[in-house]
Amino acid sequence: MPSPTPTTTPCRTHASPLAPTKTWTPPVTTPLCQVQITKGGRITALNGDRATFGGNAQSDGAGKVKGQQEYQDHGPAQRQKVKSTQILALTCNPQRTQATIFGRAMIDGQGSHLFRVDVQDLAEPGVGQDTYRILLDTGYDSGTQKLEGGNIQIRWTDRSDPSNPASQHAVMDRPSRRVAMRGWGVRPRSGARPP
């Protein structure tokens, strides 16, 4: 996963992996990528607290990104609620098994904080296999944790694009596409062929 590029503006905190000594600039977004967190994401954070999360992010062919992310550490060690206000960048590996979401968020309804979310889509379903991690500019780090609940899905947003490697494998990839539909509560009509 790419690391943020430092600039010359001093940062107010030195504890964060996002900004060890300087303000960071997000990396270039990977075009045509989509990240979905479904079915109520849940982990035990590095501090021992129960944490829940959810959201999505996606980029178009021009690298424009949109989405939203939420994370809540339920305490008692570091109780806080993080809600994104802007997604700045989304990077995905070519296999669409790893993604990183960069953005700004409010913490407990206040401020404008930088965050980074790292996810891995390693299995269907994702419990016990997929991983999640959030880092905040306050120095908070959930650590990379396997999912205790929920599912991470990283997909191409445009399977018909000839430059998209996934379009060459559309027929072979039908089972995972059916799983993705069920994750959104969409059920094929009785007797209908899957897409």
Side-chain angles (χ1 to χ4, degrees), residues 7-20:
T7 61
T8 56
T9 308
C11 182
R12 66 177 182 80
T13 178
H14 301 289
S16 170
L18 290 173

PDB file of all heavy atoms in Angstrom, residues 7-20:
ATOM      1  N   THR A   7       4.980  16.765   2.960  1.00  0.00           N
ATOM      2  CA  THR A   7       5.273  18.078   2.418  1.00  0.00           C
ATOM      3  C   THR A   7       6.028  18.862   3.484  1.00  0.00           C
ATOM      4  O   THR A   7       6.370  18.314   4.519  1.00  0.00           O
ATOM      5  CB  THR A   7       3.972  18.816   2.017  1.00  0.00           C
ATOM      6  OG1 THR A   7       3.177  18.976   3.198  1.00  0.00           O
ATOM      7  CG2 THR A   7       3.195  18.024   0.985  1.00  0.00           C
ATOM      8  N   THR A   8       6.236  20.157   3.266  1.00  0.00           N
ATOM      9  CA  THR A   8       7.101  20.905   4.171  1.00  0.00           C
ATOM     10  C   THR A   8       6.364  21.615   5.304  1.00  0.00           C
ATOM     11  O   THR A   8       6.972  22.287   6.104  1.00  0.00           O
ATOM     12  CB  THR A   8       7.893  21.960   3.386  1.00  0.00           C
ATOM     13  OG1 THR A   8       6.956  22.795   2.696  1.00  0.00           O
ATOM     14  CG2 THR A   8       8.832  21.302   2.400  1.00  0.00           C
ATOM     15  N   THR A   9       5.047  21.476   5.363  1.00  0.00           N
ATOM     16  CA  THR A   9       4.299  22.156   6.419  1.00  0.00           C
ATOM     17  C   THR A   9       4.363  21.367   7.710  1.00  0.00           C
ATOM     18  O   THR A   9       4.017  20.198   7.731  1.00  0.00           O
ATOM     19  CB  THR A   9       2.822  22.315   6.001  1.00  0.00           C
ATOM     20  OG1 THR A   9       2.781  22.923   4.723  1.00  0.00           O
ATOM     21  CG2 THR A   9       2.065  23.146   7.008  1.00  0.00           C
ATOM     22  N   PRO A  10       4.786  21.968   8.823  1.00  0.00           N
ATOM     23  CA  PRO A  10       4.844  21.236  10.087  1.00  0.00           C
ATOM     24  C   PRO A  10       3.462  20.760  10.511  1.00  0.00           C
ATOM     25  O   PRO A  10       2.470  21.412  10.253  1.00  0.00           O
ATOM     26  CB  PRO A  10       5.396  22.268  11.082  1.00  0.00           C
ATOM     27  CG  PRO A  10       6.036  23.308  10.235  1.00  0.00           C
ATOM     28  CD  PRO A  10       5.291  23.333   8.950  1.00  0.00           C
ATOM     29  N   CYS A  11       3.420  19.635  11.179  1.00  0.00           N
ATOM     30  CA  CYS A  11       2.163  19.060  11.644  1.00  0.00           C
ATOM     31  C   CYS A  11       2.076  19.182  13.164  1.00  0.00           C
ATOM     32  O   CYS A  11       3.086  19.199  13.851  1.00  0.00           O
ATOM     33  CB  CYS A  11       2.087  17.591  11.228  1.00  0.00           C
ATOM     34  SG  CYS A  11       0.555  16.794  11.692  1.00  0.00           S
ATOM     35  N   ARG A  12       0.849  19.206  13.679  1.00  0.00           N
ATOM     36  CA  ARG A  12       0.675  19.411  15.115  1.00  0.00           C
ATOM     37  C   ARG A  12       0.960  18.165  15.935  1.00  0.00           C
ATOM     38  O   ARG A  12       1.121  18.220  17.136  1.00  0.00           O
ATOM     39  CB  ARG A  12      -0.745  19.881  15.410  1.00  0.00           C
ATOM     40  CG  ARG A  12      -1.797  18.847  15.094  1.00  0.00           C
ATOM     41  CD  ARG A  12      -3.169  19.358  15.475  1.00  0.00           C
ATOM     42  NE  ARG A  12      -4.182  18.376  15.234  1.00  0.00           N
ATOM     43  CZ  ARG A  12      -4.434  17.358  16.041  1.00  0.00           C
ATOM     44  NH1 ARG A  12      -3.745  17.192  17.137  1.00  0.00           N
ATOM     45  NH2 ARG A  12      -5.377  16.488  15.751  1.00  0.00           N
ATOM     46  N   THR A  13       0.994  16.998  15.291  1.00  0.00           N
ATOM     47  CA  THR A  13       1.245  15.774  16.049  1.00  0.00           C
ATOM     48  C   THR A  13       2.368  14.981  15.405  1.00  0.00           C
ATOM     49  O   THR A  13       2.511  14.994  14.193  1.00  0.00           O
ATOM     50  CB  THR A  13      -0.017  14.895  16.149  1.00  0.00           C
ATOM     51  OG1 THR A  13       0.324  13.710  16.859  1.00  0.00           O
ATOM     52  CG2 THR A  13      -0.563  14.510  14.792  1.00  0.00           C
ATOM     53  N   HIS A  14       3.154  14.318  16.226  1.00  0.00           N
ATOM     54  CA  HIS A  14       4.247  13.483  15.716  1.00  0.00           C
ATOM     55  C   HIS A  14       3.997  12.014  16.009  1.00  0.00           C
ATOM     56  O   HIS A  14       4.827  11.184  15.716  1.00  0.00           O
ATOM     57  CB  HIS A  14       5.576  13.924  16.337  1.00  0.00           C
ATOM     58  CG  HIS A  14       5.899  15.353  16.044  1.00  0.00           C
ATOM     59  ND1 HIS A  14       6.263  15.788  14.788  1.00  0.00           N
ATOM     60  CD2 HIS A  14       5.891  16.450  16.832  1.00  0.00           C
ATOM     61  CE1 HIS A  14       6.476  17.096  14.818  1.00  0.00           C
ATOM     62  NE2 HIS A  14       6.257  17.520  16.044  1.00  0.00           N
ATOM     63  N   ALA A  15       2.821  11.696  16.584  1.00  0.00           N
ATOM     64  CA  ALA A  15       2.547  10.319  16.993  1.00  0.00           C
ATOM     65  C   ALA A  15       1.919   9.498  15.883  1.00  0.00           C
ATOM     66  O   ALA A  15       1.841   8.299  15.975  1.00  0.00           O
ATOM     67  CB  ALA A  15       1.614  10.324  18.209  1.00  0.00           C
ATOM     68  N   SER A  16       1.444  10.142  14.842  1.00  0.00           N
ATOM     69  CA  SER A  16       0.646   9.452  13.844  1.00  0.00           C
ATOM     70  C   SER A  16       1.480   8.890  12.709  1.00  0.00           C
ATOM     71  O   SER A  16       2.360   9.559  12.195  1.00  0.00           O
ATOM     72  CB  SER A  16      -0.387  10.418  13.264  1.00  0.00           C
ATOM     73  OG  SER A  16      -1.005   9.845  12.148  1.00  0.00           O
ATOM     74  N   PRO A  17       1.166   7.644  12.261  1.00  0.00           N
ATOM     75  CA  PRO A  17       1.809   7.102  11.064  1.00  0.00           C
ATOM     76  C   PRO A  17       1.430   7.895   9.822  1.00  0.00           C
ATOM     77  O   PRO A  17       2.101   7.855   8.824  1.00  0.00           O
ATOM     78  CB  PRO A  17       1.259   5.676  10.978  1.00  0.00           C
ATOM     79  CG  PRO A  17       0.720   5.367  12.329  1.00  0.00           C
ATOM     80  CD  PRO A  17       0.308   6.679  12.927  1.00  0.00           C
ATOM     81  N   LEU A  18       0.301   8.634   9.893  1.00  0.00           N
ATOM     82  CA  LEU A  18      -0.108   9.448   8.761  1.00  0.00           C
ATOM     83  C   LEU A  18       0.831  10.643   8.590  1.00  0.00           C
ATOM     84  O   LEU A  18       1.086  11.097   7.497  1.00  0.00           O
ATOM     85  CB  LEU A  18      -1.524   9.988   8.981  1.00  0.00           C
ATOM     86  CG  LEU A  18      -2.646   8.968   8.925  1.00  0.00           C
ATOM     87  CD1 LEU A  18      -3.952   9.623   9.322  1.00  0.00           C
ATOM     88  CD2 LEU A  18      -2.759   8.381   7.537  1.00  0.00           C
ATOM     89  N   ALA A  19       1.302  11.193   9.692  1.00  0.00           N
ATOM     90  CA  ALA A  19       2.097  12.408   9.630  1.00  0.00           C
ATOM     91  C   ALA A  19       3.185  12.375  10.680  1.00  0.00           C
ATOM     92  O   ALA A  19       3.095  13.013  11.706  1.00  0.00           O
ATOM     93  CB  ALA A  19       1.182  13.607   9.847  1.00  0.00           C
ATOM     94  N   PRO A  20       4.258  11.571  10.469  1.00  0.00           N
ATOM     95  CA  PRO A  20       5.279  11.422  11.496  1.00  0.00           C
ATOM     96  C   PRO A  20       5.953  12.733  11.873  1.00  0.00           C
ATOM     97  O   PRO A  20       6.188  12.981  13.025  1.00  0.00           O
ATOM     98  CB  PRO A  20       6.274  10.438  10.882  1.00  0.00           C
ATOM     99  CG  PRO A  20       5.939  10.359   9.445  1.00  0.00           C
ATOM    100  CD  PRO A  20       4.530  10.814   9.273  1.00  0.00           C
TER     101      PRO A  20
END
